[in-house]
Amino acid sequence: MKRVHTLKDLAISLSITIAGAGIFFCHKDLGSCIVVCGLIMLLVFRSGYRIDGKGAVLRKKSADLCKCCKPSILDYLNGMDITPVVKKGNEGGVIHLEVYYNAEEGIAYAQLFEFRNYTYEPETEMVELHYPKAGRLVSQL
């Protein structure tokens, strides 16, 4: 996954930069500080994701779930046509589910992690889901 700019990121950064330029005429130091902050945001702030630098811009949702949900989620990611059981919390251990999605294109990429040895270790590879399965999983998080 590669982090990329979204239209919202660009709009926020540019509006801060333009506001700083306007304030510059009233108060030079404050205006130039706000312009610099806007430009730094333009360089650093990226909230979108893209797989291998191509395709649709994706958003990320993640959740820590109870370990009792693991069989249901694994079956769902392996292609079974079921409604996944999603229960947030930490009863009996923790699994971590990361979903990168684009609602307009109806596509999602999901990966399941299990907490072992004080780190999250991948339990599955990145799985591609299409509409309506993608929407069902994202709506549960």
Side-chain angles (χ1 to χ4, degrees):
M1 285 288 165
K2 183 178 181 181
R3 293 191 76 135
V4 295
H5 290 292
T6 62
L7 290 176
K8 187 176 178 181
D9 300 339
L10 295 173
I12 291 170
S13 300
L14 290 175
S15 63
I16 290 174
T17 304
I18 291 170
I23 293 172
F24 180 80
F25 295 109
C26 298
H27 195 278
K28 290 184 181 183
D29 293 335
L30 180 61
S32 56
C33 179
I34 292 174
V35 167
V36 169
C37 289
L39 293 175
I40 290 174
M41 281 183 65
L42 185 62
L43 296 173
V44 177
F45 188 58
R46 296 176 183 179
S47 64
Y49 296 87
R50 191 172 277 158
I51 292 183
D52 300 328
K54 58 184 176 184
V57 175
L58 306 168
R59 295 171 58 186
K60 179 181 177 182
K61 270 194 174 183
S62 61
D64 289 329
L65 309 172
C66 296
K67 199 169 186 176
C68 64
C69 302
K70 182 179 173 182
S72 171
I73 293 173
L74 281 174
D75 290 343
Y76 190 76
L77 294 179
N78 287 328
M80 292 183 71
D81 192 24
I82 60 171
T83 301
V85 176
V86 176
K87 183 178 176 187
K88 295 182 181 181
N90 58 3
E91 290 178 28
V94 175
I95 58 173
H96 183 74
L97 181 64
E98 287 186 355
V99 180
Y100 300 90
Y101 68 97
N102 184 313
E104 290 83 30
E105 296 204 11
I107 191 165
Y109 298 91
Q111 187 171 17
L112 186 66
F113 297 88
E114 187 167 354
F115 190 73
R116 286 183 282 211
N117 301 326
Y118 300 103
T119 61
Y120 284 107
E121 297 177 2
E123 192 70 21
T124 64
E125 296 294 320
M126 189 72 72
V127 177
E128 184 174 341
L129 303 170
H130 296 279
Y131 179 81
K133 286 187 78 153
R136 246 186 278 160
L137 186 60
V138 170
S139 68
Q140 297 247 344
L141 294 179

